[in-house]
Amino acid sequence: MRFVDSHCHLDRIDLEKEGMSFAAMMEKAKQNSVEHFLCVAISMDQFPEMVKKAQAYENVSFSCGVHPLHVDEDKQFTLDDLPKLASDDKVVAIGETGLDYYYSKDSIAAQQASFARHIEVGNELNKPIIVHTRDAREDTIAIMRENNAEKCRGVLHCFTESWEMAKQAMDQNFFISISGIVTFKNAVELQDVVRKMPLDRLLIETDSPYLAPVPFRGKQNQPAYVKHVAEFIAELKGVSLEKVAEQTTANFQDLFSHASV
Ligand SMILES: [Zn+2]
Ligand SMILES: [Zn+2]
């Protein structure tokens, strides 16, 4: 049995706090059957450092892009540099991009322009996009449609929205990625969405260092814990853990075909 952590920020985990080296964190993940990691960028300025931290590991792939809450922060690069940076063989996806109206309403216009540009680059390079979406259901789906996101495909990561939105995304060939939030007691609507979701559209993630699943809720998250997300989904859907592991890994390989899993 093997798992893929389809979304983590390996460069943002406070290892000192865990009293753990980077190698020990990766070993712990391995012992929990986590065999591949997609390390996700939140800005282009931080991208080179992020790659440096984990590039020695063959089982780590990377994305490149600008998180919606970090638009207009890059100093060293602009979005014009995205195609070049994202052309690197180790980069298997574009993002994370998307819209977050929950934390930032001031930057809506900049977020929308950046999101559209990421989809264009995804289509140019034939690499899928990683979409962060919060409190922006209609605009997210509309911008995906207008920019032909169904061509490069992608994933709505750390999904916490409605079944309606999940269906609209799946209609555009998108996958839905579930984080540790699903294990929270109050995540009743999300649990219902996961019950309905076809297994062949699902990915699993930790979004480390954020959103640790139960029983680690409130602590710093790490890739080893993706297994707890998978276990919870298996129970919700009444299927075996092996089935969830096998199908979500196959889904990852299907979507992120540039990754060597
Ligand atoms: Zn995100
Ligand atoms: Zn993230």
Side-chain angles (χ1 to χ4, degrees), residues 198-218:
L199 200 50
D200 65 2
R201 294 272 111 187
L202 272 185
L203 296 172
I204 50 174
E205 67 173 84
T206 58
D207 206 7
S208 301
Y210 317 108
L211 301 167
V214 172
F216 307 106
R217 189 172 180 182

Side-chain angles (χ1 to χ4, degrees), residues 101-119:
Y101 296 171
Y102 182 81
Y103 283 115
S104 179
K105 286 203 160 64
D106 308 334
S107 61
I108 285 180
Q111 288 188 33
Q112 292 180 347
S114 173
F115 185 23
R117 181 66 190 132
H118 279 75
I119 300 171

Side-chain angles (χ1 to χ4, degrees), residues 68-205:
L69 295 177
H70 296 278
V71 287
D72 294 335
E73 277 179 16
D74 282 338
K75 304 251 182 308
Q76 200 184 340
F77 297 106
T78 70
L79 273 185
D80 294 338
D81 300 306
L82 181 57
K84 189 166 166 261
L85 289 178
S87 294
D88 190 300
D89 281 346
K90 285 196 174 67
V91 174
V92 304
I94 310 300
E96 62 185 288
T97 178
L99 303 174
D100 192 323
Y101 296 171
Y102 182 81
Y103 283 115
S104 179
K105 286 203 160 64
D106 308 334
S107 61
I108 285 180
Q111 288 188 33
Q112 292 180 347
S114 173
F115 185 23
R117 181 66 190 132
H118 279 75
I119 300 171
E120 263 176 34
V121 173
N123 279 330
E124 277 165 29
L125 300 180
N126 192 26
K127 292 183 178 179
I129 55 167
I130 298 170
V131 178
H132 170 111
T133 177
R134 186 142 190 222
D135 274 7
R137 292 178 186 177
E138 273 149 43
D139 288 358
T140 299
I141 294 294
I143 290 174
M144 282 163 53
R145 267 201 201 113
E146 282 158 20
N147 294 279
N148 298 317
E150 86 273 19
K151 197 175 148 227
C152 61
R153 306 192 295 167
V155 56
L156 299 191
H157 106 89
C158 195
F159 191 74
T160 53
E161 306 293 332
S162 63
W163 171 238
E164 204 45 51
M165 187 185 194
K167 271 196 301 191
Q168 289 172 329
M170 289 189 287
D171 282 348
Q172 295 187 63
N173 290 329
F174 268 60
F175 288 80
I176 306 291
S177 179
I178 301 299
S179 73
I181 291 178
V182 76
T183 68
F184 298 175
K185 265 205 184 81
N186 57 358
V188 181
E189 192 193 355
L190 178 60
Q191 290 162 2
D192 203 44
V193 168
V194 172
R195 266 189 215 103
K196 288 179 186 155
M197 192 89 69
L199 200 50
D200 65 2
R201 294 272 111 187
L202 272 185
L203 296 172
I204 50 174
E205 67 173 84

Side-chain angles (χ1 to χ4, degrees), residues 6 8 16 52 65-66 70 82 93 120 134 158 167 210 218 241 246 251 255:
S6 77
C8 51
E16 221 164 287
K52 222 182 268 171
V66 184
H70 296 278
L82 181 57
E120 263 176 34
R134 186 142 190 222
C158 195
K167 271 196 301 191
Y210 317 108
L241 182 60
E246 187 188 318
N251 296 345
L255 180 60

